[in-house]
Amino acid sequence: MINSHILARLLGQIFRALEQLEAKGEIPRGLKFTRVTVDPPRDLSHGELATNAAMVLAKEARLKPQELAHKIGQALTALPPESEDVTIQSWSVEGPGFLNFRLAPAVWQAELHRALALESRFGASEIGRGQRVNVEYVSANPTGPLHLAHARGAVVGDALAALLEFTGHKVCREYYINDAGAQVEVLARSLYHRYRQAAGEDIGEVPAGLYPGDYLRPIAADLYAKTGAAWQNRDEAEWLPFFMATAIAAMLNMIKTDLAQLGIKHDVFASEDQLVKAGAVARVLESLTQMGLIYQGHLEAPKAGKAAESHEDWEDRPQTLFRSTEFGDDSDRALLKSNGSYTYFANDIAYHLDKIDRGFTQLINIWGADHGGYVKRMAAAVKALSQGQVTLDVKLCQLVTLLDNGIPVKMSKRAGTFVTLAEVVEQVGAGVVRFIMLTRKNDMALEFDLAKVVEQSRDNPVFYVQYGHARAASVLRMAREGAGDGKPAYDLSPQTLLTTDLSGLTSEEELSLIRLLAFWPRLVEQASEAHEPHRIAFYLGEVAAAFHSLWTKGRENATIRFIQPEDQKGTSARLTLVAATKLTLSVGLRILGVEPIEEMR
RNA sequence: GUCUCUGUAGCUCAGUCGGAUAGAGCACAGGUUUCCUAAACCUGGGGCCACAGGUUCGAAUCCUGUCAGGGACACCA
């Protein structure tokens, strides 16, 4: 528990106090403390930290909440001290039974040393207990370059993976290649078309139903250079497998390149095609049959609305169905198509069983919102296959609309105004793309404005946070170098910072920043447990705001300026605070996959 | 019709597995630069947390229903 954060340590003390009360018979034995928490109150007048212990236990303890809170407070102060304890300066009982605390400033000050000692591990924890988590993200069909919508899932998945790793999970970053369906055949035909063009045939317009994008041209040209006319004028059955393999490989390369530009690298690329060919689908259907979860039955046609209209060709027929309704789905789901081949769902079941068999206890999939209707059946399948032992969390990412200074950028594949991810990254930078993608909850639609995301102002969150980091870096740089004209240079080596006397950091402005930094490890835990990396981005905005505020207040109140030549001891203490701020910002940015900026230009 | 997400200040959004008087930015009004980056900061007004019930010490948060908007809805991937 060496690295447990300040709230956890106080909570531990409260548990010990409660045990004391139990031992003395002041409260009944066997109460469950699981609902007891320690939180920072919204309003500082309610203390720096507060616990709900008395309120959640009052009923079972048969005491008035206020009375119980007093008992807990007294027991806390009477507790024999332990090394990780926080020193409670004062406590009070307020409102319906809150027990509010103020801690000794030294406790908060020491948090800075704790943070700096941990360096890039500040906020890291072992709450994941080495659990093996599979995060599947992007998984775009290998039929073309990535565009901006893919980037959102890519960034959310990648940041979540990093966050889980940071909190003690063993994470596998995975990409599922849908290389078994009709789409890749279309891709192969599209490539063949470009190949004939490269060979000098006049093939006119790209036929409808094929991918018209120019990105196939260089691949076709390359292919022609290598194989010459060998594939011309032959039956599709002859060239299709080769063109399919070639096209998929080329598309994957392109996708990997796009992802690499965003700093994303997957550990595993799982191929649907290989899974099918290896018989995994057949096997999983076999075992589901043995479990009695597959039957021949009929599905009802869609009743009304758009769905009914778009399925005029509905035919009632017996189908091979999976009993997903037994696991919370709304309908049983087909596993075989009318031509006898596997449905995408059947393949996906096999794929998820494969993940389970590889030993993951937690599966996380990042999907586009258009796959929302697919979540329940997949969750049902995972539940069935793992006997409820493996959880599946699907994060649906809503649409990203691309704007340029408030005006929607029209995208059309046909008109060639299709904006790829690579183009956006080139224009605004990987860090900006990553951060902006995390400035909204995944289930909220997001606007990505090419002009605004590079604007250098308060309403651009990336800039604001980066500026905070650069400002902190600037102060430290200046202090380290001294500024000529007799100003002292400061030793900012880690050893020195870790032993700095911080007792001068007592102003409310300074303490509020310190508190915010001290809550970072807890925020990381919460973001990790909720699978919500966007919380990191918002927290970093808060830290930046607190830091900018402190900075500017130094103009009016000279006693809190960071560097004061006539006060070297105080300056060292404040520089330690600046260093811890910079550290927190950089650790947070790195989890999001954003490189912190040392200097604004 | 079914499922699903969303509904919080004029606008864009946060809101801690239920906590005290609901927050931030933008916009609006006013202010801060002999001083570490004004690329920043400070002050102010502005809210039936869509609506109605329920659960309990306590609800923006959990449950049910209603309304409004987005998305999905046999075999496609």
Side-chain angles (χ1 to χ4, degrees):
Chain A
M1 295 296 272
I2 299 276
N3 293 337
S4 62
H5 54 73
I6 199 161
L7 300 111
R9 282 183 281 147
L10 179 57
L11 185 61
Q13 279 165 260
I14 290 167
F15 286 156
R16 274 159 51 214
L18 287 167
E19 284 158 13
Q20 289 277 316
L21 292 175
E22 267 190 345
K24 286 191 206 159
E26 304 223 24
I27 58 173
R29 287 185 183 276
L31 294 186
K32 283 184 184 158
F33 300 156
T34 49
R35 290 172 61 216
V36 175
T37 58
V38 171
D39 299 282
R42 222 180 355 238
D43 190 339
L44 198 57
S45 68
H46 293 128
E48 294 168 325
L49 296 175
T51 180
N52 61 355
M55 290 178 294
V56 297
L57 297 174
K59 198 175 221 175
E60 288 186 72
R62 297 183 179 182
L63 288 168
K64 286 181 186 163
Q66 286 90 345
E67 195 182 331
L68 178 55
H70 272 106
K71 284 183 188 290
I72 297 170
Q74 282 155 5
L76 267 172
T77 41
L79 226 44
E82 289 185 9
S83 61
E84 289 291 299
D85 278 0
V86 301
T87 309
I88 297 165
Q89 188 173 68
S90 63
W91 59 271
S92 61
V93 177
E94 284 166 59
F98 285 103
L99 183 51
N100 298 334
F101 302 98
R102 292 197 79 95
L103 305 185
V107 175
W108 295 110
Q109 290 152 3
E111 287 297 292
L112 297 181
H113 283 151
R114 284 174 165 263
L116 290 166
L118 289 165
E119 296 182 326
S120 62
R121 298 286 296 163
F122 176 43
S125 73
E126 294 303 322
I127 56 168
R129 300 184 313 277
Q131 251 192 100
R132 297 194 57 207
V133 185
N134 183 290
V135 185
E136 182 212 317
Y137 56 108
V138 189
S139 300
N141 290 333
T143 54
L146 296 181
H147 52 267
L148 201 61
H150 293 123
R152 185 167 191 186
V155 170
V156 169
D158 205 52
L160 178 54
L163 178 58
L164 290 167
E165 248 166 15
F166 197 61
T167 48
H169 301 79
K170 286 194 71 178
V171 178
C172 177
R173 297 162 160 84
E174 189 147 327
Y175 188 119
Y176 182 46
I177 312 167
N178 300 138
D179 51 3
Q183 292 191 7
V184 286
E185 287 187 19
V186 174
L187 177 72
R189 290 190 194 101
S190 306
L191 180 62
Y192 187 71
H193 186 81
R194 290 296 186 192
Y195 164 82
R196 287 170 55 203
Q197 192 174 33
E201 290 184 41
D202 179 11
I203 40 87
E205 288 284 299
V206 178
L210 293 189
Y211 297 112
D214 285 339
Y215 54 85
L216 289 173
R217 284 176 195 256
I219 298 159
D222 187 48
L223 193 60
Y224 182 66
K226 281 182 186 149
T227 65
W231 297 102
Q232 267 182 291
N233 301 316
R234 293 174 61 177
D235 289 343
E236 177 171 303
E238 293 181 85
W239 55 256
L240 192 68
F242 174 75
F243 273 74
M244 194 147 43
T246 306
I248 291 171
M251 292 301 103
L252 272 179
N253 262 332
M254 188 165 68
I255 288 169
K256 285 179 188 175
T257 306
D258 287 351
L259 289 172
Q261 280 188 23
L262 263 184
I264 291 171
K265 194 168 174 292
H266 289 83
D267 302 311
V268 172
F269 283 80
S271 159
E272 180 185 9
D273 189 47
Q274 283 178 25
L275 212 59
V276 175
K277 287 189 175 139
V281 187
R283 281 197 300 278
V284 78
L285 295 195
E286 175 66 20
S287 58
L288 285 173
T289 303
Q290 282 176 10
M291 293 162 79
L293 296 175
I294 292 182
Y295 69 104
Q296 297 293 314
H298 292 255
L299 289 178
E300 287 179 28
K303 285 198 175 61
K306 281 185 205 162
E309 289 166 32
S310 64
H311 295 293
E312 288 163 352
D313 55 344
W314 167 273
E315 51 167 323
D316 192 15
R317 64 179 181 86
Q319 302 197 74
T320 303
L321 301 173
F322 168 58
R323 291 190 193 279
S324 48
T325 45
E326 287 193 11
F327 303 91
D329 200 359
D330 314 300
S331 163
D332 290 339
R333 305 293 176 176
L335 298 171
L336 296 179
K337 300 182 201 169
S338 49
N339 67 8
S341 62
Y342 300 127
T343 61
Y344 180 80
F345 180 49
N347 292 355
D348 222 358
I349 293 177
Y351 173 48
H352 282 76
L353 177 61
D354 182 62
K355 290 192 209 176
I356 294 169
D357 286 344
R358 277 184 278 149
F360 299 106
T361 54
Q362 243 189 90
L363 306 181
I364 301 175
N365 294 350
I366 315 291
W367 289 349
D370 54 343
H371 288 66
Y374 201 76
V375 174
K376 278 191 177 181
R377 77 189 69 171
M378 207 63 248
V382 169
K383 201 184 278 183
L385 293 169
S386 72
Q387 281 82 44
Q389 297 302 299
V390 175
T391 61
L392 172 68
D393 184 15
V394 179
K395 311 295 280 184
L396 296 177
C397 291
Q398 288 291 337
L399 287 176
V400 179
T401 47
L402 185 63
L403 306 176
D404 194 359
N405 218 353
I407 302 158
V409 177
K410 285 186 186 162
M411 286 200 265
S412 155
K413 289 184 185 180
R414 277 278 163 199
T417 54
F418 184 70
V419 181
T420 64
L421 170 59
E423 287 163 353
V424 175
V425 170
E426 192 182 339
Q427 194 173 333
V428 306
V432 167
V433 171
R434 293 192 61 128
F435 196 99
I436 294 294
M437 290 297 172
L438 292 164
T439 52
R440 206 115 302 175
K441 282 188 295 203
N442 58 284
D443 45 17
M444 297 284 281
L446 176 80
E447 288 185 349
F448 190 101
D449 193 313
L450 287 167
K452 285 198 170 162
V453 298
V454 293
E455 195 174 281
Q456 303 203 325
S457 72
R458 176 69 178 93
D459 56 342
N460 176 2
V462 200
F463 162 76
Y464 190 70
V465 170
Q466 287 285 25
Y467 183 35
H469 185 269
R471 259 188 162 170
S474 154
V475 174
L476 298 175
R477 198 163 45 234
M478 210 163 275
R480 199 181 298 119
E481 291 167 1
D485 54 306
K487 288 183 183 166
Y490 289 84
D491 174 10
L492 299 177
S493 63
Q495 304 89 313
T496 310
L497 288 177
L498 288 178
T499 52
T500 314
D501 177 1
L502 302 177
S503 58
L505 296 175
T506 52
S507 76
E508 188 43 49
E509 290 90 344
E510 289 159 343
L511 281 172
S512 72
L513 175 57
I514 296 173
R515 274 186 229 110
L516 189 56
L517 299 181
F519 296 151
W520 162 246
R522 176 179 184 258
L523 181 110
V524 171
E525 282 182 12
Q526 291 174 330
S528 169
E529 281 167 1
H531 298 168
E532 290 184 349
H534 77 274
R535 293 194 195 188
I536 306 281
F538 280 92
Y539 171 82
L540 295 179
E542 277 182 56
V543 172
F547 183 66
H548 286 306
S549 173
L550 186 57
W551 172 293
T552 311
K553 276 177 184 158
R555 296 181 174 282
E556 292 158 16
N557 178 358
T559 65
I560 58 172
R561 282 185 200 168
F562 298 130
I563 300 174
Q564 297 172 41
E566 65 284 2
D567 174 19
Q568 291 197 35
K569 188 181 156 199
T571 299
S572 295
R574 286 185 293 272
L575 290 173
T576 305
L577 172 56
V578 175
T581 305
K582 177 173 181 283
L583 173 70
T584 307
L585 289 173
S586 76
V587 171
L589 284 170
R590 288 229 164 76
I591 291 175
L592 305 186
V594 180
E595 186 61 27
I597 293 176
E598 294 293 320
E599 194 173 4
M600 305 302 286
R601 287 166 310 230

